[in-house]
Amino acid sequence: MTKHSKVGGLMTAEVVSVVPSTPFKEVAKRLAEHDISGLPVLDEDDRVVGVVSETDLLVRQALAADSVRGPRRSGPGTGAVSRDERDAITAGRLMSAPAVTVHADETVAAAARTMLRRCVDRLPVVDDEDRLVGIVTRRDLLRVFLRPDPEIRLRVIEEVVVATMGLAPDAVAVHVVDGRVTLEGALETPAQILVMKKLAEQMDGVVAVTDRLTARGDGSRSAGGVGERSGSSVPGGT
C-alpha cells in the first residue's frame, strides 16, 4: 500500500491562539505580529471552539464604519454598532463556529479536499478529544508539490512498482519531469496497468501520470487499447 504524507508531518505545532474573551484589538495585534491570516479560538480545556480570521475583523470594522457614517442608532434590528459595542467585541463574537478541523493522521489529500469543500484557508489540527495540537494552512499542503523529481521517481519505484505490484525495480521505466510521471514497460494484464497508474497518481507530489505500458496478456498496446494514455491530472491536487 502506498504511503501518503500526513497532516501531522506538515502542521505547525506551535500555534498562535486566543480565547473567546480576547478583545478585538488584541486579536488584530496577534494577526499582525505573527503575519498570519487567522487563528483558532480555544476554551479553557484547549478545545477548538472557533476560528477568527482577518476577514472576520474586516467585516466587523466595515459594520462599525457604516454605523459611524449613518444615523447614530444602535440596538437589535438596526444593523448599527455602538461605540460601547465595538469596545466590547471579542474573539468569541467575531469567530466562525463551529471550527472546521482535521486530525494529525489524516492524509494531505483529505485535508486539501476539506479546505476546498469548506472554503477555508487553514485547519486547526486536533486530537481525539478536540484539543488543539497544531494548525495546517494551504501553503503547508502545497509543500508536497515541491518534492524533487528524483525523490518522486524513487518513491514510485519502491512503493508502487516493488512493494505494491511485487515487480523488479527495473520492470517498468519511471520518468519524472516537474512532477509529471511517465511509466513505460510491459505488464501481464490490462488490469495491472490500471492499478499501477492509479497508485502512481495517488503518490504525494505527483501532478499527472502518463502510461506507455503494454499488456502481454492480450497483446494490446495499453489497458485502453490505444497507443498511449496521458495527462490525467491527480484528483484533489495531491
Side-chain angles (χ1 to χ4, degrees):
M1 187 173 183
T2 58
K3 299 176 182 177
H4 300 278
S5 292
K6 303 293 185 180
V7 169
L10 295 175
M11 72 180 189
T12 298
E14 295 183 7
V15 185
V16 180
S17 62
V18 294
V19 296
S21 60
T22 302
F24 178 101
K25 287 186 177 180
E26 180 61 25
V27 174
K29 180 181 177 181
R30 294 189 190 185
L31 290 174
E33 284 183 345
H34 297 277
D35 192 25
I36 53 179
S37 60
L39 40 74
V41 182
L42 310 182
D43 66 12
E44 61 274 10
D45 296 316
D46 287 338
R47 291 186 173 87
V48 182
V49 294
V51 173
V52 62
S53 68
E54 288 177 329
T55 300
D56 296 323
L57 269 65
L58 290 172
V59 168
R60 180 62 69 172
Q61 284 282 63
L63 289 173
D66 288 343
S67 71
V68 171
R69 287 195 298 267
R72 293 191 174 276
R73 298 179 296 122
S74 63
T78 66
V81 182
S82 70
R83 184 177 299 277
D84 289 341
E85 286 177 325
R86 290 199 301 275
D87 292 340
I89 292 173
T90 62
R93 293 181 60 184
L94 291 166
M95 70 183 186
S96 299
V100 182
T101 62
V102 292
H103 290 88
D105 60 355
E106 291 189 40
T107 65
V108 169
R113 285 193 292 269
T114 298
M115 282 188 179
L116 292 173
R117 185 173 64 252
R118 302 299 294 272
C119 298
V120 295
D121 295 325
R122 69 204 61 79
L123 294 169
V125 185
V126 299
D127 62 16
D128 292 337
E129 296 183 1
D130 290 331
R131 291 181 301 222
L132 184 72
V133 296
I135 196 165
V136 65
T137 67
R138 290 194 181 200
R139 183 177 299 177
D140 294 328
L141 300 187
L142 287 174
R143 271 193 257 152
V144 298
F145 291 107
L146 300 179
R147 196 182 303 280
D149 289 342
E151 182 180 339
I152 294 174
R153 177 179 180 274
L154 181 62
R155 293 189 65 188
V156 170
I157 292 172
E158 290 181 345
E159 298 177 21
V160 176
V161 178
V162 178
T164 304
M165 302 297 295
L167 304 174
D170 59 353
V172 172
V174 180
H175 309 284
V176 184
V177 178
D178 295 332
R180 297 180 177 275
V181 176
T182 300
L183 305 171
E184 294 184 278
L187 299 180
E188 292 300 323
T189 67
Q192 284 185 315
I193 294 176
L194 293 175
V195 170
M196 180 173 288
K197 184 169 183 287
K198 183 67 174 177
L199 291 174
E201 288 173 345
Q202 294 174 351
M203 295 294 294
D204 293 326
V206 173
V207 175
V209 176
T210 296
D211 87 70
R212 296 171 180 167
L213 300 166
T214 59
R216 300 189 189 98
D218 62 1
S220 63
R221 173 59 182 155
S222 72
V226 295
E228 179 180 306
R229 293 182 303 148
S230 65
S232 61
S233 298
V234 179
T238 59

